[in-house]
Structures are given as C-alpha cells and as structure tokens.
Amino acid sequence: MASRGGTSRRVPENEGAITYVQCDGLAVMKIVKHCHEESCSNMEVAQGALLGLVVENRLEITNCFPFPKHDEAMDEEEYQLDMMRRLRRVNVDHFHVGWYQSADVGNFLSQSLLESQYHYQTSIEESVVVIYDTKKSARGFLTLKAYRLTPQAIAMYKENDYTPEALRNLKIGYESLFVEVPIVIRNSPLTNIMMSEISEMIPEEEGSKFLDLGTASVLEGQLRSLMERVDELNQEAIKFNRYQQLVVRQQQDKHRWLLKRAQENAARAVKDEPPLPDEDVNKLFKPHPVPPRLNPMIVAGQINTYSQHISQFCSQSLAKLYLTQALQNAKDGKQNN
C-alpha cells in the first residue's frame, strides 16, 4: 500500500475543484520507465509519489520518484521526506500532490488502492492517483489516467459501514467510487521541436515495425481474469444469499416464539395466573452479522473494466480481420487473372 508521508497541504474551501491534470513529459517518462521495469523484472506493482503544485483549477505534475520496494529495510515515510528535502535543495517542486501505480489491462481497482487514495485525499485534498497500464500501452494504446475518490466514497470510508443499507443510503456503486480527471501531457517547445525532427528522420517503413497487431495473447489473459472475477462474484453472491436465508429463518423462529409465548400467557390468564416475565427477543435471537458489500462492489467494478477492455480489443481484432480478408481477396483476384 502506498504511504502518504511527505509535505501535506489542504486546499482552502473557497478554491475551485481540480478540473484537469497537467503532467510534464519528463514525469510521464519516469512513470513509464519505472512501471515497465517492474513489470518486466518481477511482475510487481510499481508505485511512486507525484510532485507538483496547484494553479487555479489545474493540478500540475512536474516530477515524481518511485517508492522503495517492500523487501528493502527502510522506512517509506522517512525515505519520501528525505527525497523531498533533496529535491527542495536543487529548487525542484517538492509538494506532494498524489501517487501513481501500474496496472495490467485494467486490474487496478482494489481495496488497497481505495484505502490509499482515501488517506491521500483526506490529508492532501487536491491529490490524485495516476494509473499507467503497461500491457495496453505495449499494444499501442497509451493508457495514463488520473482518478479521485467521489464524495460518496469518502463518506463511505469515514462511516466505515459497508452494509447494503449504508451503501443504499449513500447511493454508491462501483461506477461512483472514482471520478476520472482529464490528463494533458505538456512538453517544452524545445522538446516538441526535437520530437518533430526525430519523427522526420525515421523512415515510414521503419516506423511500422513497432506496431504490434496481435491481440490474441491480450484477449486470452483478459478472458481468464474475467472468469476469475465472475467466479469470485458468484461466491460473494452465495454468501449473501446464505445470509438472507438465515435472516428469514430467524424471523420465522422469532415469530413462532412470540406466538407460543402469547398462547402461554393467554392460558395462564384463564387460570388467574400472572403472565410470564417479558424477555428481550433480541437477546434470545441474536441478529446475524451482515456480510460487507465493499468487496463485491470492487469485484463488480473489475468485471466492468475487463468487459470494456475486451470489447475494445475485439473491435480492433474485427477491423483487422476484415482488412486482411479484403487484402486476401484482392490477392486471389490477381492470381486468377
């Protein structure tokens, strides 16, 4: 879980909300490099701190640095504070404005991410979490998104009540846990000039070699992950159905007990005997604990994300299929002539 150590700043209430995130190209390249290195070396989730400042309704991310690995014998908060002190000495933006994390085809939604962003957003109000998807970016879809918790999600964590009634009162579901904040990547004019010159130096046939048209391996992994999440959601549904059956059975037992006690008191009244002492029904029939609904809500959100990615990749595959079919038909026509 990401730590939230570092310089904390609360935005005054009269300031406007963050409407978009402006990320420097250098910070983006650092995030991409760190995430791909972790993904290729040990398949671990890459996390790091985002540094920058708030200008009016814009959150500017100007720098970042990775969090230390869990197996390293060092304190994470002390490490972050030391990094910020060093950056401050060289006149680099050192205000903590959020954190970033790598993802693998949209599998970022988890309880640990929700908890980390809740701690960040309650201490650093303008903070965001930036998600970089390594697998989709490797297939030509640059996926860099910024998220913030919604007011309903923050209220849910403050109340620490994940029962169905509490979630219904807050009107919260997996689609209203996060709100996406648009990201704009900004480069200096000199960087834009250099990139334009480099793109002109690369021959057209050389540039096409970097396009990966294969999506079968990605779809296979996504379908397998989707099946696992569906099985997990089915197990959660079975648990909740079992809880509902226990509640119905307990209500029936309670009704029978009250009816029997009323009949006994009526018989004693006929015999001019005092009624039986009143007993607390809730002590005799203790209510069953309600299973928390946070994990099923997160799993439902993961299923929705996987479904959207599968739909996107399938549309790409169908387009490639029709393209190759047209080319094959044209080739066959030339051979026949």
Side-chain angles (χ1 to χ4, degrees):
M1 183 183 296
S3 174
R4 57 185 180 91
T7 305
S8 300
R9 295 188 298 115
R10 296 196 64 87
V11 176
E13 296 296 331
N14 56 358
E15 284 195 17
I18 301 300
T19 57
Y20 71 99
V21 175
Q22 178 179 293
C23 193
D24 283 3
L26 176 62
V28 173
M29 293 304 296
K30 285 184 176 182
I31 294 173
V32 171
K33 182 175 182 294
H34 179 214
C35 292
H36 279 289
E37 285 178 349
E38 291 294 330
S39 176
C40 296
S41 60
N42 49 20
M43 300 300 292
E44 290 185 359
V45 175
Q47 293 181 336
L50 299 175
L51 307 177
L53 66 159
V54 179
V55 180
E56 297 178 350
N57 61 342
R58 179 178 71 250
L59 177 64
E60 295 186 2
I61 299 175
T62 57
N63 209 332
C64 64
F65 61 86
F67 291 147
K69 296 181 180 179
H70 297 292
D71 55 352
E72 296 180 0
M74 66 173 62
D75 183 74
E76 287 191 14
E77 293 192 5
E78 184 61 31
Y79 168 80
Q80 294 181 47
L81 291 172
D82 184 58
M83 284 291 296
M84 291 178 184
R85 282 193 293 265
R86 294 173 183 270
L87 291 172
R88 186 175 184 179
R89 291 172 186 170
V90 294
N91 199 24
V92 175
D93 292 331
H94 60 280
F95 288 116
H96 209 160
V97 295
W99 60 296
Y100 68 86
Q101 177 177 303
S102 63
D104 186 3
V105 197
N107 65 344
F108 64 92
L109 188 59
S110 64
Q111 190 167 351
S112 60
L113 182 134
L114 290 172
E115 292 177 355
S116 297
Q117 183 58 21
Y118 168 74
H119 291 304
Y120 265 96
Q121 209 161 316
T122 50
S123 61
I124 312 171
E125 190 173 348
E126 68 271 20
S127 63
V128 297
V129 53
V130 172
I131 304 296
Y132 175 74
D133 199 314
T134 55
K135 281 289 183 68
K136 288 192 66 179
S137 298
R139 293 303 190 277
F141 302 93
L142 178 60
T143 307
L144 190 72
K145 297 184 178 182
Y147 295 97
R148 285 172 55 84
L149 285 177
T150 60
Q152 297 96 318
I154 294 177
M156 177 187 67
Y157 267 97
K158 283 183 178 179
E159 296 176 3
N160 197 25
D161 187 3
Y162 310 117
T163 59
E165 290 76 12
L167 300 182
R168 191 184 305 115
N169 294 333
L170 290 172
K171 298 180 181 180
I172 187 172
Y174 66 85
E175 67 280 355
S176 57
L177 285 174
F178 282 103
V179 58
E180 184 177 350
V181 185
I183 286 186
V184 177
I185 300 177
R186 176 188 175 277
N187 290 316
S188 65
L190 291 177
T191 303
N192 292 330
I193 294 173
M194 184 189 69
M195 293 176 64
S196 299
E197 291 180 352
I198 292 176
S199 62
E200 292 177 356
M201 294 169 60
I202 299 177
E204 185 176 354
E205 60 275 8
E206 291 292 330
S208 61
K209 292 182 180 180
F210 295 97
L211 296 177
D212 187 359
L213 299 181
T215 57
S217 60
V218 180
L219 284 175
E220 182 182 357
Q222 287 183 338
L223 289 172
R224 187 179 295 109
S225 300
L226 179 62
M227 292 171 60
E228 293 175 355
R229 298 289 84 77
V230 170
D231 290 340
E232 187 176 353
L233 186 62
N234 182 50
Q235 294 297 323
E236 294 289 344
I238 292 174
K239 292 179 184 178
F240 191 72
N241 290 336
R242 189 179 299 118
Y243 160 76
Q244 289 181 318
Q245 293 173 359
L246 292 174
V247 170
V248 171
R249 191 177 306 159
Q250 188 181 64
Q251 292 293 334
Q252 293 174 352
D253 294 342
K254 187 186 298 185
H255 179 71
R256 283 194 293 266
W257 185 88
L258 292 173
L259 184 62
K260 181 180 178 181
R261 176 57 62 94
Q263 291 174 353
E264 291 176 352
N265 285 334
R268 293 173 70 88
V270 171
K271 299 177 182 178
D272 294 331
E273 296 179 357
L276 295 173
D278 295 333
E279 297 185 31
D280 190 357
V281 181
N282 293 327
K283 290 184 178 180
L284 295 175
F285 300 93
K286 295 183 179 179
H288 296 282
V290 182
R293 304 303 295 164
L294 178 60
N295 188 58
M297 183 166 58
I298 292 175
V299 174
Q302 291 176 338
I303 292 174
N304 180 65
T305 303
Y306 283 133
S307 301
Q308 291 177 353
H309 288 309
I310 289 172
S311 175
Q312 182 183 19
F313 276 106
C314 284
S315 63
Q316 294 287 329
S317 298
L318 287 175
K320 297 169 191 175
L321 177 63
Y322 283 115
L323 178 63
T324 54
Q325 184 179 2
L327 293 175
Q328 185 65 34
N329 292 338
K331 182 180 179 181
D332 294 341
K334 290 182 179 179
Q335 290 179 351
N336 294 332
N337 294 334

